[in-house]
Amino acid sequence: MHIENVEISGDCRLAVEKHEDIGTYLTLEYINRATDQWSSDEDISLDIDKEKGAEIVAFLTEHLGL
């Protein structure tokens, strides 16, 4: 397994896991910070499939002139 990351902020990143036998997985990972002292921070991981990845690239291309 090989992992690559792009840090968006200290609490948010894009992560790619490449597996020789089962393929490649892209996730958006971030920490949902607790709003009070009685709650805990929560690690969130959202899967990004090929279609959503293409939508994100199109969005960035349009709005950032990539």
Side-chain angles (χ1 to χ4, degrees):
M1 173 175 63
H2 176 73
I3 298 174
E4 294 181 37
N5 297 300
V6 171
E7 186 172 319
I8 298 171
S9 71
D11 291 340
C12 184
R13 68 182 181 179
L14 286 172
V16 173
E17 290 185 21
K18 297 179 180 181
H19 302 267
E20 288 187 27
D21 53 344
I22 59 174
T24 300
Y25 296 92
L26 174 64
T27 57
L28 173 66
E29 300 176 352
Y30 66 94
I31 299 172
N32 187 20
R33 297 286 179 196
T35 58
D36 57 52
Q37 64 187 15
W38 300 281
S39 301
S40 299
D41 293 345
E42 183 179 9
D43 292 330
I44 306 293
S45 181
L46 303 171
D47 293 332
I48 299 174
D49 61 18
K50 190 173 186 175
E51 292 77 21
K52 185 55 69 176
E55 186 179 337
I56 292 167
V57 169
F59 181 85
L60 292 173
T61 300
E62 178 182 350
H63 295 288
L64 295 178
L66 302 176

